[in-house]
Amino acid sequence: MYEYDYDKVTLNLEEKYKLFITKRKKKTTEKFLGDSKEYLLGIRFIKANYSGQRNEIGEQIPDGTYSITWYYGRYLIWKRNKAFYGMLSSFVTPIVVSIITSVLTVIVLRILGLG
C-alpha cells in the first residue's frame, strides 16, 4: 500500500473551497481552479478528465475538466479522525487525572485521620 504523508499537506481557505465545490459538482474547469490547479495536481487531490477520444499517437485527449481523486477522500477521513481523537484525548486526559487526584486525596486524608 502506498504511504501518503498528509501532515505535509497545507491547504488555504480558497483551496479547501475549490475542492469542496469540485467534490459536489463532480467536475470543474481549469478556469475555476485557477492558481490552485498546479498545487492540487501536485498533491494528487485532483486529476484531469478525458474526453474518450485519442489523438494521432494514441494518447487520450483531456476535456479541460478536473475531478477529485481517491487521495482527497482519504485526506478528509484522516482529518476527521485526527480531529475526533484529538478532541477525545483532550477531554479524557483531564477527567482521568481529576479522578486519580480525588481518589489519592481521599486515601491520604484517611491515612492522616482527617477524613
Side-chain angles (χ1 to χ4, degrees):
M1 180 94 192
Y2 179 77
E3 205 51 46
Y4 195 87
D5 190 7
Y6 292 116
D7 282 321
K8 294 181 181 178
V9 173
T10 54
L11 297 173
N12 62 32
L13 192 59
E14 179 186 5
E15 291 163 343
K16 289 177 185 179
Y17 171 75
K18 289 177 180 181
L19 286 167
F20 176 78
I21 296 298
T22 302
K23 184 176 181 190
R24 297 291 174 243
K25 289 176 69 176
K26 306 298 182 211
K27 289 183 177 184
T28 53
T29 63
E30 184 173 350
K31 181 180 177 184
F32 173 76
L33 293 171
D35 296 335
S36 305
K37 182 190 85 163
E38 291 305 317
Y39 178 67
L40 296 175
L41 280 171
I43 59 174
R44 297 189 287 182
F45 279 6
I46 60 171
K47 64 177 177 158
N49 296 317
Y50 296 98
S51 63
Q53 299 175 354
R54 297 191 177 270
N55 61 13
E56 306 81 42
I57 58 174
E59 296 175 327
Q60 290 186 345
I61 300 172
D63 67 359
T65 62
Y66 295 86
S67 297
I68 296 297
T69 64
W70 177 85
Y71 291 102
Y72 180 62
R74 297 306 302 172
Y75 172 74
L76 293 177
I77 293 169
W78 176 81
K79 288 288 279 186
R80 187 180 330 122
N81 287 340
K82 185 177 176 187
F84 175 74
Y85 290 118
M87 248 188 346
L88 184 65
S89 67
S90 69
F91 287 128
V92 171
T93 303
I95 292 170
V96 169
V97 168
S98 67
I99 290 171
I100 292 172
T101 304
S102 298
V103 169
L104 289 174
T105 302
V106 169
I107 292 171
V108 169
L109 287 174
R110 285 194 179 161
I111 290 173
L112 295 174
L114 300 173

